Amino acid sequence: RWAAIFSPPPLCFRMDLMFLRRIFGSTPRFIAAAAAVLLIIGGSAAFVYGVVQTIERDVSVLHLEIARRAEAVITDSIAGNILGLVRAGRDIARSPNDPKEIFSIFLKDHPAFWRASFIDAEGKEIAQLRRIGIVSPDELIDYSATELFREALTREYYAGPIFFSDAGEPFIYLAVPVRSVRGDTIGVVMGELNLRFLWNLMGQIRVGERGRAYVVDGSGNVIADPDPSKVLRGENVFSRSIVRRIARGEREVSGLSSEDRYVNSEGIPVFAAGRLIPSLGWGIITEEPVSDALAAVYRTLAAGAAFSVASIFFLSIILIGLRRLERLNKFLDAERRHTATLISSLTDGIIEYSPALEILLINPAAERLLGFAREEIRRKTARELAADVQGERFKPLAAVFAPEIADSNAFLRAHDALNRAEVSIFTPRERIVRVLTIPIVDSEGAIGSNMKIIHDVTREKLIERLKSEFITVVAHQLRTPLSAVKWTLRMTLDGDFGALNPEQADFLKKGYATNERMIHLVNDLLDITRLEEGRYLYHPAFSQFEELVQDVVLSYKVQAQQRNIV
């Protein structure tokens, strides 16, 4: 009966209850077989669910990393503008009689500011300069009772709430204290900053192929977006759960909760993550169409459904394949986690060194790869460390710097071309690393130092070997059932099971030819592994070219006749 299960099914195959009973025999055996199928389907569903969860977590990690980078860009830009105000305040402290002249230079150097003002220690606005228009003395304001003035006097800087102009552009007041050379606070320098420059910053941040990143204030108003029309028309997205959570002070929102997903203004369901900028009270939201962000999920679900259907027909094969797929999934999951780690932190080793081979900079990854701490090599050159009596510890460093240690002119030639090499190191543990040497060129084209980027390729070498082994195992597993089908068809064609009429013989011959092509395909897979291992030898031989052409013509005969093609 088990042989009947795995033999080629009849042409008029009917998957109904009576047929299953006929295959599996008694009711208990039928129930056991059905339970086995249901168990496989349930296990497949659980497996797919785990893969989906892993993919969603990796997508969330990627989105949060993009949000962190956007936060760094925004805070650096705001800090640069605040620094400009601080410098203007210092100039006013040295020349308090010429604030407008100082502001004129300030506005020229900082195009994002719309206007600048100097407020004395009593809160009186002494001078104001606008980018457009002239300010009369009557327009100067008393700021003594305002939060802006009080906060700016007591803090390093003050960043006010966002407000919008009549044209819909977002602005913010920035203010810093002005102190005399004796350290006394003599007033406040205030600037009205147009946040339009953030639009370009958001346009440079890529979130997949069709995603975007945008910035909202504490009230959910969009203040920066690659599409300026969303800002200018005053779009408010506070109704979105992820925006409300950021407004409540959550530092990061992963987007893994179904409540955090929404349909954007274009009517597209999106996967979103968010991050709060605490110093400003703003939120950075990254969104990407769900169909793009979770495309791997859909592929996994489709594969799981196909796998479940196929399990009904190939029970024993699926049991074997499921274990292999599980191992493969663990491997792929490790690779995804490895990729997420590379995104969040630099893992390649970096060493910067001078022409004298003095190590100027070494990052933690290089310390870990080469097996020593930066304190051990302070104020020493690679040549000295390689010749040290304790040189056993520094053998990895000597291997990385071998070209420069052997040839003192190697540094001078480094700018001619990138120098790549693979090096094997054996301490603190055995590794294979790829070393890339590049020059560090200043703005004038002069080379001040060189940099070595050390990339651990031990894992890559192992993966290449595992891939070849996997293809070999799969090809051998496929060839066994194909060979069994081949001999079954051959015996039938030879009349071992009775005479065949011409139509039956023709039909089986076509099936036999198709099976032969499958066997050739499996042999090709084995040839691939032999090629990668350098074991494959070509054996040229004469063949009948007309037969090859005739086989191809026959394989497309039905389609050709349907289209009246000769």
Side-chain angles (χ1 to χ4, degrees):
R1 290 176 179 174
W2 283 108
I5 294 174
F6 295 105
S7 63
L11 293 179
C12 300
F13 183 86
R14 294 180 59 226
M15 182 57 70
D16 56 14
L17 185 59
M18 295 304 296
F19 182 79
L20 288 175
R21 286 183 182 275
R22 190 163 61 251
I23 291 179
F24 293 108
S26 62
T27 299
R29 190 173 298 176
F30 168 73
I31 294 174
V37 172
L38 291 176
L39 182 62
I40 291 176
I41 295 174
S44 173
F47 166 74
V48 170
Y49 177 78
V51 174
V52 169
Q53 295 296 310
T54 300
I55 294 172
E56 288 186 349
R57 285 195 298 270
D58 290 347
V59 171
S60 174
V61 168
L62 177 59
H63 273 242
L64 290 176
E65 176 60 24
I66 293 172
R68 291 188 193 101
R69 294 181 181 178
E71 178 187 1
V73 171
I74 292 173
T75 53
D76 288 348
S77 300
I78 297 296
N81 286 299
I82 292 174
L83 181 61
L85 283 175
V86 172
R87 290 172 178 167
R90 291 174 183 170
D91 292 340
I92 290 175
R94 289 193 293 265
S95 304
N97 296 325
D98 299 321
K100 287 190 176 182
E101 183 65 27
I102 293 171
F103 286 153
S104 176
I105 298 173
F106 169 76
L107 292 179
K108 181 179 179 181
D109 294 339
H110 299 80
F113 280 97
W114 184 252
R115 68 183 176 97
S117 299
F118 174 59
I119 304 168
D120 65 14
E122 302 299 325
K124 307 287 187 187
E125 188 175 21
I126 304 301
Q128 179 188 142
L129 185 64
R130 297 176 182 171
R131 193 168 292 279
I132 298 175
I134 299 174
V135 182
S136 65
D138 296 337
E139 295 181 82
L140 299 179
I141 302 173
D142 184 353
Y143 287 91
S144 59
T146 63
E147 178 187 4
L148 181 150
F149 178 69
R150 292 194 305 270
E151 294 290 332
L153 284 178
T154 58
R155 295 163 56 180
E156 292 185 6
Y157 71 90
Y158 168 81
I162 292 175
F163 61 95
F164 291 85
S165 67
D166 294 338
E169 295 184 343
F171 285 81
I172 188 175
Y173 286 121
L174 297 178
V176 297
V178 179
R179 295 183 174 88
S180 65
V181 293
R182 294 175 300 182
D184 301 328
T185 301
I186 63 174
V188 170
V189 171
M190 179 193 70
E192 184 178 328
L193 182 66
N194 189 333
L195 299 179
R196 189 186 186 106
F197 71 95
L198 294 179
W199 304 353
N200 292 332
L201 294 180
M202 291 300 101
Q204 296 171 7
I205 297 173
R206 306 297 302 172
V207 185
E209 292 293 331
R210 299 186 295 160
R212 67 183 180 117
Y214 61 93
V215 184
V216 297
D217 63 9
S219 300
N221 296 310
V222 179
I223 61 174
D225 191 282
D227 182 2
S229 65
K230 297 181 182 295
V231 181
L232 296 176
R233 66 170 177 256
E235 181 172 324
N236 185 287
V237 293
F238 195 76
S239 60
R240 296 171 181 172
S241 171
I242 193 168
V243 175
R244 292 198 301 272
R245 292 175 63 181
I246 292 293
R248 289 197 300 265
E250 291 191 38
R251 188 68 171 94
E252 286 187 342
V253 180
S254 65
L256 296 176
S257 172
S258 58
E259 296 178 355
D260 296 331
R261 300 178 190 177
Y262 56 87
V263 177
N264 63 15
S265 55
E266 286 78 25
I268 301 174
V270 296
F271 179 96
R275 183 174 175 84
L276 175 68
I277 305 178
S279 59
L280 299 171
W282 304 346
I284 300 173
I285 311 297
T286 61
E287 70 172 36
E288 184 178 7
V290 173
S291 59
D292 292 354
L294 304 181
V297 170
Y298 300 142
R299 290 194 296 269
T300 303
L301 291 174
F307 179 77
S308 299
V309 173
S311 66
I312 299 174
F313 302 100
F314 306 104
L315 182 59
S316 62
I317 297 176
I318 286 179
L319 288 173
I320 299 172
L322 184 59
R323 290 194 294 270
R324 291 175 179 167
L325 285 175
E326 186 177 1
R327 290 196 296 268
L328 180 60
N329 177 65
K330 290 180 180 178
F331 170 74
L332 293 176
D333 183 63
E335 286 300 301
R336 284 192 292 270
R337 292 181 182 277
H338 179 63
T339 301
T341 301
L342 286 178
I343 293 173
S344 61
S345 61
L346 185 63
T347 58
D348 286 350
I350 294 179
I351 301 178
E352 182 185 1
Y353 60 97
S354 68
L357 301 188
E358 180 182 359
I359 297 176
L360 307 175
L361 172 69
I362 181 170
N363 71 340
E367 296 177 23
R368 184 175 66 256
L369 287 170
L370 301 181
F372 54 81
R374 68 185 70 190
E375 290 76 13
E376 301 179 67
I377 60 173
R378 184 172 294 171
R379 298 180 181 177
K380 293 183 180 180
T381 67
R383 189 175 285 106
E384 293 171 346
L385 292 169
D388 196 293
V389 292
Q390 301 177 351
E392 285 294 327
R393 290 205 59 207
F394 303 111
K395 275 189 174 181
L397 183 70
V400 170
F401 279 89
E404 289 82 357
I405 293 174
D407 184 359
S408 59
N409 294 322
F411 180 92
L412 300 177
R413 295 199 301 267
H415 68 281
D416 295 336
L418 296 180
N419 181 14
R420 296 179 176 86
E422 283 192 1
V423 178
S424 297
I425 57 178
F426 301 94
T427 56
R429 66 184 182 88
E430 185 175 352
R431 299 175 188 267
I432 302 174
V433 296
R434 183 175 294 123
V435 182
L436 173 65
T437 305
I438 59 175
I440 299 178
V441 184
D442 59 22
S443 58
E444 298 179 356
I447 301 174
S449 61
N450 273 5
M451 178 182 292
K452 287 188 178 293
I453 301 176
I454 307 172
H455 179 61
D456 189 350
V457 296
T458 308
R459 184 182 183 83
E460 297 173 11
K461 298 294 184 182
L462 175 61
I463 290 172
E464 290 177 3
R465 181 171 60 83
L466 289 177
K467 183 193 68 174
S468 296
E469 292 176 356
F470 179 76
I471 292 176
T472 301
V473 171
V474 170
H476 280 293
Q477 291 293 334
L478 287 174
R479 191 161 60 175
T480 299
L482 288 173
S483 297
V485 171
K486 171 183 176 179
W487 293 114
T488 301
L489 291 174
R490 185 70 269 168
M491 292 172 66
T492 304
L493 285 170
D494 292 342
D496 292 352
F497 304 115
L500 302 175
N501 60 42
E503 183 179 358
Q504 291 173 331
D506 182 64
F507 181 81
L508 289 177
K509 285 178 182 179
K510 291 179 180 179
Y512 184 85
T514 300
N515 190 71
E516 282 292 292
R517 284 195 290 271
M518 289 295 296
I519 292 174
H520 287 311
L521 180 60
V522 171
N523 290 334
D524 288 344
L525 287 176
L526 292 174
D527 290 341
I528 289 174
T529 59
R530 295 190 187 102
L531 281 170
E532 292 180 342
E533 296 171 0
R535 297 188 293 110
Y536 185 81
L537 297 177
Y538 289 100
H539 298 287
F542 288 99
S543 63
Q544 199 67 22
F545 185 71
E546 293 84 350
E547 294 179 1
L548 173 62
V549 175
Q550 189 63 31
D551 286 343
V552 176
V553 171
L554 290 176
S555 66
Y556 287 95
K557 183 177 180 180
V558 175
Q559 295 93 322
Q561 289 176 345
Q562 291 174 349
R563 293 166 174 77
N564 296 321
I565 296 174
V566 178

